[in-house]
Amino acid sequence: MTIPRSSPPLPLLHFALVFLFASSHLKGFAAGDASQGGESASTSPGCNVTSQDVKIKNWVNGDESASLDGLSARFGASLPTSVSKALRLPAILANPFNSCNKLSSKLSNSFVVAERGNCTYATKAEIAESSGAAGLMVINDDEDLTEMVCTKNETHLSITIPVVMIPKSAGDYLRRSMSSGGKVDILLYSPTRPILDISVVFLVLMAVGTIVSASFWDEFTAHEQNQPSAETNQEDSEKNTLKIKAVGAIAFVIVASAFLVVLFFFMSSSFVFALNVIFSLAGSQGMHFCIVSLISRASKRCRQMKINIPILGKVSVIAIVVLPFCIAFSIIWVGNRHSPHAWIGQDILGITLMITVLQVLELPNIKVASILLCCAFFYDIFWVFLSPLIFHQSVMIAVATGHKAGGESIPMLLKIPRFFDPWGGYQMIGFGDIILPGLLTVFSHRFDKLTKKGISNGYFLWLIFGYTFGLSVTYLVFYLMNGHGQPALLYLVPCTLGLTVVLGGLRGEIGDLWNYGETPSKVVPGGET
């Protein structure tokens, strides 16, 4: 039996793997999710209100425009959760515009719009409320939404109007509309985000399906040969696989960390565009590998049609025919990556690339798997939770949100729209959160197969359950922490590697798993001992 291969260039995969792993962070940021920060919060009763994501419906001269997003302050009135309970009131520019002195405008029953700066948020709100405003909207200096809190001196607040921060672009739009004489009406409300969006289920199925497909890929795409032949032996010898070594596992994490820091300091729209191009090239190679493998399995005639090409030698005709399609697909995706449906192309390229990577890379045993996954475990925790101690913000989350890239997003993730979330946005998971546990799961399947283990006494099925459970826990914690990005490997490594070690210990097979493939083991192919 032989397996048709259309192996991608290994150097390209090596580079692709670095930034795949550098993105091994679970992200679920919606379009309206805010970055939290700002001044130190007071513990006074008037400044412990929970911030709310805010939807801002607006009308210019009676015509409704696209809704804007905002973030409410840690003080002031809470907003209604539905449009029917909210008030539609006119918007007026503050005069002076910073709202740090007594306002000269007539603000009765209106929302006042002011710029950030020159005084505290609470001072702006107190001045606006004393002038009769029904609410205050503060325009931020950039596109981030910073949590508005109290200073240590503001210990006795009694602000009863809602206070909302809006991004600079939204503020500029409202200011232009009002400065040109337009009548702007505003309605503020904070719709409740569903506890569970069905998109999470589909994303988990995509991640688990990718690992399962990679585990069975060789068997599914194999074609029978009645007699072993020279061609069969040649194809087997051409299988490009790389066994990960312990030193390589450690070096891989170090290189990925360095790459993440480079992204943090130098990320720009042009940099991220270059990463999109690299991803599309690697993805087209992955798609090419998968399509050629499937066609070769389905058609013996296509499999046998080959031509000689100078330098390349004997090449499958179907590989040549499929290549332009894969390249065209990736080019179209790059050109339309900002369209609402671009996530479909990104997921196709990503899934096929990950299947290819999981065919090319192999974990030789649990010893190397433990080194790789334990390093990745601490990598994820450090860059999400501990990096603010050094860099003053979470490096992983800063890179994930991509504000420095001018709207360009890093492509190394699977994503799917939040179907029933009024805030929109996407559920996302980094490729590293699939590939790294996937390497262990593929190894477990190979180990089960070579040792002739069944479903119940093997490791593969248990690891699939463990991965699914770990990913579910990750999303549960994500929701419990109000959408704060989570290091998925914090939950996935114990549920996969930890489960493997526990099962191996209970079955008395931990030694075989630990040293498998290095020295003559008790367990050899065929199940003999």
Side-chain angles (χ1 to χ4, degrees), residues 380-404:
D380 238 13
I381 293 174
F382 175 81
W383 290 114
V384 175
F385 290 145
L386 302 181
S387 59
L389 300 176
I390 301 174
F391 299 93
H392 306 296
Q393 60 178 312
S394 173
V395 172
M396 186 76 80
I397 292 179
V399 171
T401 52
H403 292 307
K404 296 180 181 179

Side-chain angles (χ1 to χ4, degrees), residues 104-122:
S104 59
S105 307
K106 294 181 179 180
L107 304 178
S108 180
N109 291 323
S110 62
F111 290 115
V112 62
V113 180
E115 66 178 350
R116 179 180 179 177
N118 300 110
C119 61
T120 67
Y121 300 122

Side-chain angles (χ1 to χ4, degrees), residues 31-340:
D33 288 348
S35 64
Q36 306 298 306
E39 307 163 46
S40 300
S42 167
T43 57
S44 66
C47 201
N48 60 0
V49 178
T50 302
S51 293
Q52 297 175 283
D53 290 325
V54 181
K55 282 288 183 185
I56 305 168
K57 295 176 71 68
N58 62 98
W59 295 261
V60 179
N61 296 324
D63 296 326
E64 185 172 0
S65 303
S67 293
L68 308 174
D69 295 329
L71 181 69
S72 69
R74 290 291 304 276
F75 52 85
S78 297
L79 293 167
T81 58
S82 65
V83 174
S84 61
K85 297 178 181 179
L87 296 176
R88 174 177 169 176
L89 298 173
I92 298 177
L93 294 175
N95 185 16
F97 193 42
N98 58 21
S99 188
C100 290
N101 302 104
K102 185 177 180 181
L103 302 179
S104 59
S105 307
K106 294 181 179 180
L107 304 178
S108 180
N109 291 323
S110 62
F111 290 115
V112 62
V113 180
E115 66 178 350
R116 179 180 179 177
N118 300 110
C119 61
T120 67
Y121 300 122
T123 299
K124 295 177 186 291
E126 287 176 332
I127 292 175
E129 184 172 16
S130 65
S131 301
L136 170 66
M137 291 193 294
V138 179
I139 303 173
N140 201 12
D141 299 331
D142 52 37
E143 293 307 294
D144 289 336
L145 292 175
T146 303
E147 189 176 65
M148 294 183 289
V149 297
C150 310
T151 64
K152 295 179 180 179
N153 297 325
E154 294 167 332
T155 56
H156 300 287
L157 291 179
S158 57
I159 297 171
T160 59
I161 63 172
V163 182
V164 176
M165 175 172 282
I166 58 177
K168 185 177 185 301
S169 58
D172 290 343
Y173 160 74
L174 294 177
R175 186 178 184 181
R176 285 195 306 269
S177 300
M178 288 183 280
S179 298
S180 61
K183 180 180 181 297
V184 177
D185 291 332
I186 296 293
L187 184 148
L188 304 177
Y189 70 110
S190 180
T192 303
R193 175 166 287 149
I195 297 177
L196 176 66
D197 191 273
I198 192 66
S199 59
V200 173
V201 177
F202 286 108
L203 191 64
V204 171
L205 289 175
M206 283 198 293
V208 174
T210 299
I211 294 176
V212 172
S213 299
S215 299
F216 288 93
W217 191 263
D218 280 355
E219 298 162 48
F220 181 74
T221 59
H223 53 82
E224 298 291 338
Q225 296 282 348
N226 294 328
Q227 296 291 335
S229 63
E231 182 180 0
T232 298
N233 295 330
Q234 180 183 1
E235 288 184 359
D236 285 337
S237 65
E238 290 176 352
K239 290 169 60 175
N240 284 326
T241 58
L242 293 174
K243 288 190 180 296
I244 302 173
K245 298 181 179 179
V247 174
I250 297 173
F252 197 59
V253 176
I254 294 173
V255 173
S257 296
F259 187 77
L260 189 65
V261 172
V262 170
L263 279 174
F264 177 72
F265 284 109
F266 301 104
M267 187 167 61
S268 62
S269 57
S270 57
F271 194 168
V272 177
F273 175 75
L275 293 181
N276 276 281
V277 172
I278 294 171
F279 165 72
S280 68
L281 291 174
S284 66
Q285 291 290 337
M287 178 183 288
H288 184 266
F289 166 80
C290 292
I291 293 177
V292 170
S293 297
L294 293 174
I295 294 178
S296 297
R297 178 189 185 277
S299 173
K300 181 179 180 181
R301 182 178 179 182
C302 291
R303 183 170 66 242
Q304 293 176 339
M305 293 174 61
K306 298 184 178 181
I307 59 175
N308 282 314
I309 296 179
I311 301 177
L312 298 179
K314 188 177 289 187
V315 179
S316 169
V317 172
I318 189 62
I320 298 174
V321 172
V322 170
L323 183 60
F325 166 78
C326 297
I327 294 175
F329 187 94
S330 64
I331 292 175
I332 292 172
W333 175 80
V334 171
N336 296 275
R337 64 191 182 281
H338 298 303
S339 70

Side-chain angles (χ1 to χ4, degrees), residues 419-435:
F419 298 114
F420 302 107
D421 192 331
W423 296 97
Y426 296 87
Q427 294 287 359
M428 300 179 258
I429 182 172
F431 287 171
D433 297 326
I434 301 174
I435 290 176

